[in-house]
Amino acid sequence: QKETGESHSLHPEFDRSSSSCVTGSGLLSLSSRFWPAVFPQLFNPVLWSKPNMSGSEGIDEGFYSRQLYVLGHEAMHRMGSASVLIAGMKGLGVETAKNVILSGVKSVTVQDQGVATWSDLSSQFFLKESHVGQNRALSSLQQLIALNPHVHVSAHTGPLNKDLILQFEVVVLTDSSLDDQKQFGELCHSHGIKLIIADTKGLCGQLFCDFGEKFEVLDQDGEAPASVMIQHISKDNPGVVICTDDRKHGLTDGAKVVFSEVQGMTELNNLKPVEVKVGGPYFFSICDTSAFSEYERGGVATEVKQPVTLNFKPLHEALNDHELLIWTDFGKISRHQTLHLAFQALHEFVKKEQRLPRSWCQSDADSLLAIVRELNAAAQLEQLDEAAVRNLSCTARGDLAPMNAFIGSVAAQEVIKACSGKFTPLQQWLYFDAFECLPEGKDQQTESAFLEKGTRYDGQVAVFGSAFQEKLERQKYFLVGAGAIGCELLKNFALIGLGAGEEGLVTVTDMDFIEKSNLNRQFLFRSQDIKKSKSAVAAKAVQEMNPKMKITAHQNRLDPDSEGVYDYNFFMGLDGVAAALDNVEARVYLDKRCVRHRRPMLEGGTLGSKGHTLAVVPHLTESYGPAKSSAGNDIPLCTLKNFPHRIEHTLQWARDQFEGLFKNAPENVNSYLRDSVFVTRTLEQGDAEALEILGGVWSSLVDVEAGGQRPQSWEDCVSWARCKWETLYNNDIRQLLHCFPPEEVTASGLPFWSGSKRCPHPLTFDPSKTTHMDYVVAAANLYGQIYGIEGTKEHASIRKTLEGVRVPAFTPKSSVKIHVTDQEMEEDKKNDSGEAQCLPKLFPMKLWITDDFSSVNHTLNSPLCPLQSKRIAGRIIPAIATTTAAVAGLMCLELYKLVQGHREIRSYRSAYINLAVQYFVMSQPSRPQHFEVSSSSLKPRSFLVIQKTQIDSYLPLC
């Protein structure tokens, strides 16, 4: 994966491509028709629609699957009992409501007394032109209801009052006056109701949270508890714990851990959670261990997350506390402080004038600045950003979809925190601005260019003017991906009018089809769209939002095979490209195409609550660049096969086993049968690999009676599965322990089985044990299905068949060499040591088959729940609607700059966010690197970080 800052950019879906397999009468596809045949109960649509699918009553895991990896079952259960009131159904209110409804609270009530105006259409995506003059809450209700069938949604068109507010656990105020905020803030604080205030004015946003005097946070960051293997523990005061050097411990001062499996100093195993003090990445100190027994070996220290209680000030007190401001851009600290006063001044201006300041009216800006100066007489800020006050006044009438997308998403994430106790809430003020989106030149248009004209873009014209709106409508953009980020980008494109003119066009491509798990965050899709093309459905949905939208939907994968469609002429006809992709390889390829054709690219990605954005500008900023090697995160092969000690190792081993037995072997057989040069091509890979592949092909084609593994009956399949179990969980472990006995010591006299090496033990097959039988049942059925042999899942019947299975006796061999390190393995390969081998992983496991993939749980001392096993084995990226919408909003703020043609690098922002802990880093992008060519300094006209593999892309641009 490509790492950038604190955030990750991956969002891949699991590959469901089918594999062809051999049967007695020809070829069989191991695809979607295979899984229901073996495990039909998992493919019953009625069963999948019911709750309690994994012992989690009331949670529809098919709908919330990706979000569950972010929040967990406990947090989701708490959310399922919460009622939320969202006041104000303009663009900011509907964005907040959309994300809260998708998250899965018990109920959401949207309140608004106002009627829709033309300016609302610039950001309120559930309002149509026919709704102008009608109540905003009622006009949006049906669309909000359709987002999530598990959430009760209702509308209230009366005023806010005490009786209404006291019915809810969480209240969100948008588009509210300061007087209302103070009044209802006091009410909520005194009755233990969590209050969130959100507001946007043009290119500025404001957020405030008050969760009461004692709000308990059960999990501050949502990260998995740290678990470290122990190398040594000293007898000292304090005792020092030294961890194995295969991974940093990841603990922080004040964290608490519990110990297990410690040999020698066994007193630690019985202690309650112990507080740690970090001394370095691989060691930390604990309590006094001087009176404990001498440490011998082994042990695991596991973090125990501790709840914390936070105290919030009510609004009237927090208004005067500048220490409660959270920075979103460390280059704008004085601006954030100024905006805190400017928003208060804006409320005073509106109360006095009964209107917002006129767009780009200097007299109104002077008036607002005068009020801010009066407030600062008491606040005494070190630096007052008067330019920011003027910009706020000039753009306050604006209602921008990207700004509402970002602030509304952050507000919705605070609602989730308030309902669930998960993640650290905002304490207590947050300000965000994007004044860099304004024109770089000093010259401004006349006020008449910003006046309302009764069009759906009035809210945007109030900020940028009519000329810029016309330029937006002429744009030709290419969106790659119509998934979670793609849906949010298309929504924003429709609202801002990108490509909505006669000369404009948005082209979107995505080869995927809609699945139930998409509905929780890809909000353009509904249940009736399942199995339909993502790009086609998304295009139709945004055209309903903005009928003037010019959009073409493709179902092509972006790769070298599609270069006939997306050729030179296609790219040269574009104004820009937006990447909403789910893997690094596709991003790198698209980046390379943009570099070659000198087209700007917007890029964004999410990982749970984390997200990042990047604007790639030709000749100005560094590009996305080549994929970084992930070798540092790879599991060493011998660790994986011989000495596993982490859950990830066992799950990766299980994936390798499954793919080797049920995917790779059948594919090789099919290739042998279809491809006349398969043998020749295989032999070119080297003797060892060719022997393994061709030996497997021979074994798969030859009957059991002749020495092969091709079954002729169901009994053969059961026998194969039983013998495979014996090999993996008894024979291979006995061979490993024969080579390295439990009391083995190293050349230095230290125990061999210590630190990251955990001594295994062989198992004896017992048909009465569920894990043993589940393995045989699943493996036999999978094996039989490959060969077209019908099996059964009845344990009683299979037990009877097992009585006739002969399991060959096994005796460990002294001639077998087991590699301890990958380096040792590579050296033996160089020396043509054909006798060396690595043995498979050796812990009992249970096989589950799900709708997505097969995964394996295991019985290590700290086993994962099935959901987490599924996430790791399936390489599923956690995802939540709030982060997705926030990232799309930030990308579209950069889009404003690209369309205007900003040429100053300081105008652009790369963003790294973590909504779980209110972490925001907005930084200036990097410039292209300089290179020396033929002893001459060269600053490339391209924005590519050049490597040898990319010189073909760079040369045409020199």
Side-chain angles (χ1 to χ4, degrees), residues 708-736:
Q709 294 187 352
R710 182 186 180 91
Q712 296 298 305
S713 64
W714 170 242
E715 288 72 21
D716 288 346
C717 296
V718 174
S719 176
W720 175 88
R722 171 65 182 87
C723 292
K724 180 61 67 175
W725 189 99
E726 192 72 16
T727 298
L728 296 177
Y729 305 121
N730 184 286
N731 300 348
D732 287 347
I733 299 176
R734 288 168 60 191
Q735 180 65 61
L736 181 64

Side-chain angles (χ1 to χ4, degrees), residues 675-840:
D675 190 350
S676 59
V677 298
F678 171 78
V679 174
T680 303
R681 190 170 60 249
T682 302
L683 290 173
E684 293 173 352
Q685 299 180 26
D687 293 345
E689 188 168 349
L691 180 62
E692 180 181 356
I693 294 174
L694 296 178
V697 170
W698 178 88
S699 180
S700 298
L701 292 173
V702 176
D703 294 344
V704 173
E705 291 80 359
Q709 294 187 352
R710 182 186 180 91
Q712 296 298 305
S713 64
W714 170 242
E715 288 72 21
D716 288 346
C717 296
V718 174
S719 176
W720 175 88
R722 171 65 182 87
C723 292
K724 180 61 67 175
W725 189 99
E726 192 72 16
T727 298
L728 296 177
Y729 305 121
N730 184 286
N731 300 348
D732 287 347
I733 299 176
R734 288 168 60 191
Q735 180 65 61
L736 181 64
L737 293 177
H738 177 79
C739 296
F740 303 106
E743 301 304 321
E744 179 87 355
V745 294
T746 64
S748 58
L750 297 175
F752 177 85
W753 293 105
S754 63
S756 62
K757 294 184 178 67
R758 304 176 70 174
C759 187
H761 61 277
L763 299 179
T764 301
F765 184 80
D766 184 350
S768 66
K769 291 188 176 180
T770 302
T771 54
H772 296 196
M773 280 299 295
D774 280 352
Y775 179 92
V776 173
V777 171
N781 275 282
L782 289 165
Y783 201 60
Q785 184 69 23
I786 290 176
Y787 292 94
I789 297 174
E790 185 176 352
T792 178
K793 299 182 292 297
E794 294 293 334
H795 282 217
S797 173
I798 294 176
R799 284 195 190 96
K800 187 174 182 179
T801 304
L802 285 172
E803 294 174 1
V805 174
R806 187 184 68 83
V807 179
F810 175 78
T811 301
K813 299 178 181 178
S814 299
S815 61
V816 172
K817 180 178 181 180
I818 297 176
H819 298 116
V820 178
T821 66
D822 282 7
Q823 182 180 2
E824 184 180 310
M825 180 190 299
E826 291 301 320
E827 290 176 355
D828 275 358
K829 282 184 178 180
K830 292 179 181 178
N831 296 329
D832 295 324
S833 178
E835 298 295 326
Q837 60 174 320
C838 277
L839 296 182

Side-chain angles (χ1 to χ4, degrees), residues 92-108:
L92 178 59
V94 77
E95 180 68 46
T96 307
K98 178 256 292 182
N99 292 322
V100 172
I101 292 169
L102 289 173
S103 72
V105 297
K106 177 183 178 181
S107 69
V108 172

